[in-house]
Amino acid sequence: MKAVYHKKEDCSGCSACYSICPQQAIAMKPDEEGFLYPEIEEEYCVDCGACTAVCPLIVDGSYKETGTPDFYVARHKSPSVLRESTSGGAFTAISEAVLRENGVVYGAEYDETLRVRHRRALKREQRDRLRISKYVQSDMGDTYAQIKADLQAGFTVLFTGTPCQAAGLRGYIGNSSLTDSLYICDLICHSIPSPLIWEEYKRLLERETGGKLVRVQFRSKKYVWSRENSNKGFLYGTDNGLEQEDDRFYQLFFAVGAITRPSCSKCRFTDIHRASDLTIADYWGIEKYSPDWYDPLGVSVILVNSAKGAELFEQCRQELVTENRPMEEALAEQRRLREPAELPENRDVFWDEYHKFGFDYVIGKLTK
Ligand SMILES: Cc1cc2nc3c(=O)[nH]c(=O)nc-3n(C[C@H](O)[C@H](O)[C@H](O)COP(=O)(O)OP(=O)(O)OC[C@H]3O[C@@H](n4cnc5c(N)ncnc54)[C@H](O)[C@@H]3O)c2cc1C
């Protein structure tokens, strides 16, 4: 086989194909925009078709649940957890239920060089590093294979990630009895930005400050939690003692829109039928529908998508205040439950200019 996919819009980079290949003939390699794509080493490929058979963008139904989810508003009972979470702390409560039973939690964290990677957490301190949205596509590495090994070793596993990563995991694991101890929780996902531009941005901050970045945080609660403030509050710290705020990466992501992965524009996961047991996100608009629920520290929406999701939700309710809500509220507020992201018409101009003139040039245009 020459390729797993034909057009970039048809590959989300979930890495299920890389993980399933019995010949290890697939490597995930960055393209000129820094997004990972599978490359087949033809001399090792035996044309077995395992890669395309698990691809969630090829498989009909994309491993989705068929029923209608139950929708809940939820908020963690602890204000300190709310402060350290992006939304209403749903992830902490869900992961707590798994850690309590000596299970394993997977999610996205910053590594030593502040690249975003999926990692495994057995302890609370490790889990805490998975908290807070990182607006950069995470490198899955060998996460799916590690999860399988954990399940085979008898662990209960919680995987958290974007909807395409969740679907990739379902494809990779298949329908074996291993799935009995696997819980999958995805996010409602706006779209995912380029790891290459993230690297450029970090280098820019280091050049400007003359220090080494030691800390970064999207969606800090410096401002009250609200949709309007959701593109504010990116904080960073350097080893020369600076603690500052900057919004240029947000601008590239949300306003310019050019740094989004091409496949996000054809996302198969922008509806209520999820390839997960639970889905978590911000409960935008709760102040209109039920003002008493609004909390300046954050509020979550939780979609309970499956019987297993309901079971896990029950186990984490002691940490949360919750209420069943009409589906129409989240549907009205969350575009990504209705349609994929639109790529800007001038997306190619951004990348041409970046490749010709460099990052300082494209970022400089934001402030002109
Ligand atoms: C790229 C991205 C786009 C999003 N788009 C929307 C949106 O359009 N609407 C909306 O309401 N919510 C969106 N969210 C979800 C929202 O920002 C919160 O992550 C979610 O509500 C969980 O918050 P929390 O307080 O429960 O958990 P937190 O404690 O903040 O936990 C964050 C969770 O997100 C996971 N995560 C963080 N970064 C990544 C990443 N790069 N890739 C995969 N998983 C990651 C972690 O593993 C963890 O499970 C998005 C999140 C991301 C990462």
Side-chain angles (χ1 to χ4, degrees):
M1 192 176 296
K2 284 195 170 9
V4 187
Y5 67 98
H6 296 293
K7 286 195 279 175
K8 291 207 163 160
E9 289 82 354
D10 295 329
C11 174
S12 70
C14 74
S15 83
C17 55
Y18 153 81
S19 306
I20 201 83
C21 177
Q23 298 294 110
Q24 281 98 50
I26 298 179
M28 298 300 291
K29 299 255 181 80
D31 72 348
E32 64 287 354
E33 296 179 356
F35 293 110
L36 296 178
Y37 290 89
E39 260 180 43
I40 298 180
E41 279 196 66
E42 277 190 75
E43 56 182 302
Y44 300 115
C45 175
V46 292
D47 255 331
C48 67
C51 51
T52 48
V54 296
C55 173
L57 303 200
I58 293 176
V59 168
D60 215 13
S62 303
Y63 305 107
K64 291 176 175 187
E65 296 292 325
T66 49
T68 303
D70 287 323
F71 286 68
Y72 290 86
V73 57
R75 195 176 51 224
H76 204 283
K77 288 179 182 167
S78 154
S80 72
V81 170
L82 289 177
R83 261 180 235 110
E84 287 154 26
S85 307
T86 313
S87 313
F91 165 69
T92 296
I94 294 164
S95 54
E96 193 61 34
V98 173
L99 292 177
R100 240 186 346 250
E101 302 300 318
N102 299 317
V104 186
V105 177
Y106 285 84
E109 74 169 45
Y110 298 110
D111 72 6
E112 303 66 27
T113 61
L114 302 178
R115 285 171 193 259
V116 181
R117 298 184 187 282
H118 257 70
R119 289 262 172 100
R120 178 176 187 267
L122 277 165
K123 300 183 182 147
R124 288 179 179 82
E125 314 85 85
Q126 296 168 330
R127 181 276 314 276
D128 292 351
R129 293 203 287 268
L130 311 180
R131 284 175 175 160
I132 305 283
S133 299
K134 293 120 190 135
Y135 291 120
V136 182
Q137 186 160 35
S138 72
D139 186 338
M140 295 293 285
D142 290 314
T143 297
Y144 295 152
Q146 283 174 0
I147 290 175
K148 191 175 204 172
D150 276 339
L151 293 169
Q152 282 165 339
F155 283 104
T156 294
V157 174
L158 169 68
F159 173 82
T160 60
T162 60
C164 48
Q165 292 168 339
L169 175 58
R170 279 197 164 175
Y172 172 77
I173 293 285
N175 287 326
S176 79
S177 59
L178 285 179
T179 58
D180 294 351
S181 340
L182 173 64
Y183 296 96
I184 301 182
C185 172
D186 70 345
L187 311 162
I188 296 178
C189 180
H190 177 282
S191 64
I192 200 83
S194 154
L196 173 62
I197 295 300
W198 174 239
E199 288 307 298
E200 290 279 19
Y201 180 62
K202 287 186 303 179
R203 283 197 287 269
L204 174 81
L205 295 177
E206 292 188 337
R207 280 200 302 281
E208 288 177 344
T209 57
K212 190 173 160 27
L213 275 184
V214 288
R215 249 184 321 283
V216 289
Q217 190 183 357
F218 289 98
R219 299 278 308 264
S220 71
K221 300 239 163 116
K222 178 174 175 185
Y223 302 95
V224 297
W225 174 86
S226 71
R227 192 203 291 269
E228 292 67 38
N229 288 341
S230 65
N231 56 2
K232 287 191 197 147
F234 173 81
L235 303 179
Y236 66 95
T238 56
D239 65 352
N240 53 1
L242 286 175
E243 298 287 337
Q244 303 208 57
E245 184 181 351
D246 190 79
D247 71 352
R248 288 170 292 174
F249 192 85
Y250 281 129
Q251 283 191 48
L252 285 177
F253 179 31
F254 292 115
V256 180
I259 62 172
T260 287
R261 189 176 177 109
S263 60
C264 298
S265 68
K266 281 207 189 159
C267 180
R268 273 68 156 179
F269 307 99
T270 53
D271 63 0
I272 58 164
H273 300 294
R274 317 294 298 178
S276 65
D277 300 301
L278 295 172
T279 300
I280 55 177
D282 292 285
Y283 209 120
W284 300 137
I286 190 65
E287 64 282 1
K288 286 186 287 185
Y289 302 111
S290 186
D292 287 351
W293 262 101
Y294 176 76
D295 190 313
L297 289 177
V299 187
S300 290
V301 61
I302 302 182
L303 280 62
V304 178
N305 305 317
S306 67
K308 257 166 56 189
E311 183 197 305
L312 182 57
F313 183 56
E314 229 17 76
Q315 289 165 30
C316 69
R317 270 170 110 155
Q318 65 193 76
E319 320 265 331
L320 297 169
V321 203
T322 63
E323 185 186 301
N324 197 206
R325 301 291 308 175
M327 171 169 77
E328 289 69 27
E329 295 175 356
L331 272 179
E333 302 295 330
Q334 293 281 355
R335 279 185 80 178
R336 295 297 166 267
L337 287 181
R338 305 192 306 268
E339 60 191 8
E342 258 179 60
L343 299 183
E345 276 177 20
N346 60 355
R347 187 177 188 282
D348 289 350
V349 175
F350 171 89
W351 285 102
D352 283 350
E353 290 184 342
Y354 165 68
H355 287 299
K356 273 193 206 136
F357 308 123
F359 186 66
D360 288 7
Y361 178 83
V362 289
I363 203 101
K365 280 179 84 173
L366 292 177
T367 44
K368 273 188 187 154

